[in-house]
């Protein structure tokens, strides 16, 4: 991968999904409703948070041929460890969404001197049981073995997992209905700032689209990722 050979990332990086538009027939074509182009070739992209520079990516083909598969971390965790392999033990912090996050993955990254922060599914193994109902703005957290997890009530419940944050909350510029300043957990504020760089990178590439119509998917992919 030439991308990482010409740029050394800053401390914070993030992983998210991207898609190269393709409407023709293709065995591993995927559908991602949250993306502007919903049908196409799915990529797992590693991006530098400060510059938006794409460091590496993996093409999802429906199998694990391009992933250094770790049986204990399953496919989602193995995507992270494969992309982060050149950057482990260097003090980086990686941000990710709830498809990847798990206590087992965060422990693995922590053992390799790499911090992690992200949303997490509340049914992941190792996530504590929090009360079902919280008041708006209420946050409940737990810390164990250098790992913090919390449940915060916004318009919906948000579960977070982090090895680089504590339980602190900070005042934001937003106010509630009665005019009080809204507080949010520091991990959520940090996550919101550093995630979303993949979508920004996709937007920047769309301004300089060099692709031409072709019946060959690999030609479209080449020009889109070149």
């Amino acid at each position: 991968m030439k991308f990482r050979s010409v740029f050394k990332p800053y401390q914070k990086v993030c992983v998210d999904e991207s898609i190269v538009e393709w409407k023709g027939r293709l065995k591993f074509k995927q559908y991602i409703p949250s993306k502007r182009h919903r049908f196409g070739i799915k990529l797992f992209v590693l991006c530098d948070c400060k510059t938006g520079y794409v460091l590496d990516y993996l093409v999802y083909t429906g199998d694990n041929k391009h992933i250094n598969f770790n049986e204990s971390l399953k496919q989602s965790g193995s995507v992270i460890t494969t992309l982060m392999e050149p950057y482990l033990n260097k003090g980086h912090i990686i941000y990710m969404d709830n498809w990847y996050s798990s206590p087992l993955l965060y422990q693995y990254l922590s053992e390799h001197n790499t911090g992690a922060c992200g949303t997490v599914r509340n049914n992941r193994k190792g996530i504590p049981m929090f009360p079902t109902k919280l008041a708006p703005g209420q946050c409940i957290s737990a810390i164990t073995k250098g790992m913090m997890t919390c449940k915060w009530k916004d318009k919906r419940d948000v579960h977070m997992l982090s090895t680089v944050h504590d339980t602190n909350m900070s005042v934001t510029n937003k106010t509630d209905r009665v005019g009080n300043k809204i507080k949010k957990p520091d991990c959520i504020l940090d996550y919101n700032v550093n995630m979303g760089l993949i979508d920004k990178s996709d937007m920047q590439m769309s301004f300089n689209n060099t692709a031409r119509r072709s019946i060959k998917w690999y030609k479209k992919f080449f020009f889109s990722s070149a």
Side-chain angles (χ1 to χ4, degrees):
M1 176 60 69
K2 295 291 185 181
F3 293 163
R4 64 179 180 229
S5 66
V6 297
F7 179 80
K8 290 184 178 180
Y10 290 88
Q11 183 184 28
K12 298 179 178 181
V13 297
C14 65
V15 169
D16 202 356
E17 298 166 358
S18 180
I19 196 163
V20 176
E21 183 184 17
W22 180 254
K23 297 180 180 180
R25 293 183 179 180
L26 186 61
K27 183 179 180 180
F28 52 87
K29 183 173 70 174
Q30 296 291 306
Y31 170 69
I32 306 180
S34 61
K35 299 298 182 181
R36 180 169 175 265
H37 301 301
R38 292 175 292 175
F39 292 93
I41 304 166
K42 179 179 175 180
L43 308 176
F44 300 111
V45 184
L46 178 67
C47 186
D48 176 66
C49 290
K50 187 172 183 178
T51 63
Y53 184 87
V54 174
L55 299 165
D56 202 351
Y57 62 80
L58 296 172
V59 180
Y60 178 73
T61 58
D63 54 39
N64 298 315
K65 292 181 179 179
H66 307 293
I67 301 172
N68 298 327
F69 191 76
N70 185 315
E71 186 64 37
S72 62
L73 298 177
K74 306 301 180 183
Q75 186 186 55
S76 59
S78 297
V79 168
I80 298 295
T81 56
T82 300
L83 288 170
M84 285 296 294
E85 187 174 1
Y87 306 107
L88 295 177
N89 298 302
K90 295 182 179 179
H92 288 288
I93 300 173
I94 182 170
Y95 298 82
M96 65 193 80
D97 65 27
N98 60 19
W99 188 75
Y100 310 94
S101 290
S102 71
L104 198 61
L105 172 63
Y106 281 35
Q107 182 181 355
Y108 174 91
L109 293 171
S110 182
E111 290 171 353
H112 290 79
N113 191 28
T114 303
C117 174
T119 55
V120 66
R121 296 174 182 175
N122 63 348
N123 60 353
R124 289 284 196 188
K125 184 177 180 180
I127 297 296
M129 294 292 294
F130 291 114
T132 305
K133 293 184 179 181
L134 299 180
Q138 184 180 2
C139 181
I140 297 179
S141 58
I143 298 178
T144 179
K145 297 180 180 179
M147 194 179 306
M148 188 277 298
T149 181
C150 71
K151 177 180 179 181
W152 178 66
K153 177 69 174 182
D154 191 19
K155 293 180 180 179
R156 58 182 179 84
D157 293 334
V158 180
H159 290 81
M160 296 293 296
L161 189 65
S162 176
T163 59
V164 293
H165 297 94
D166 52 27
T167 59
N168 289 341
M169 299 181 68
S170 297
V171 176
T172 67
N173 294 325
K174 296 182 179 180
T175 57
D176 58 21
R177 293 180 180 179
V178 296
N180 296 322
K181 290 284 188 177
I182 294 176
K183 286 186 176 183
K184 289 186 178 181
D186 287 349
C187 58
I188 291 180
L189 294 173
D190 192 31
Y191 174 84
N192 290 339
V193 168
N194 290 288
M195 281 296 288
L197 271 297
I198 309 299
D199 291 332
K200 181 180 178 182
S201 177
D202 289 343
M203 179 186 69
Q204 290 174 334
M205 287 190 291
S206 70
F207 296 150
N208 299 281
N209 189 4
T210 60
R212 297 293 182 268
R213 288 193 176 186
S214 173
I215 61 172
K216 304 295 185 182
W217 69 267
Y218 51 82
K219 290 185 179 180
K220 178 69 175 288
F221 179 79
F222 173 79
F223 285 110
S224 297
S225 57

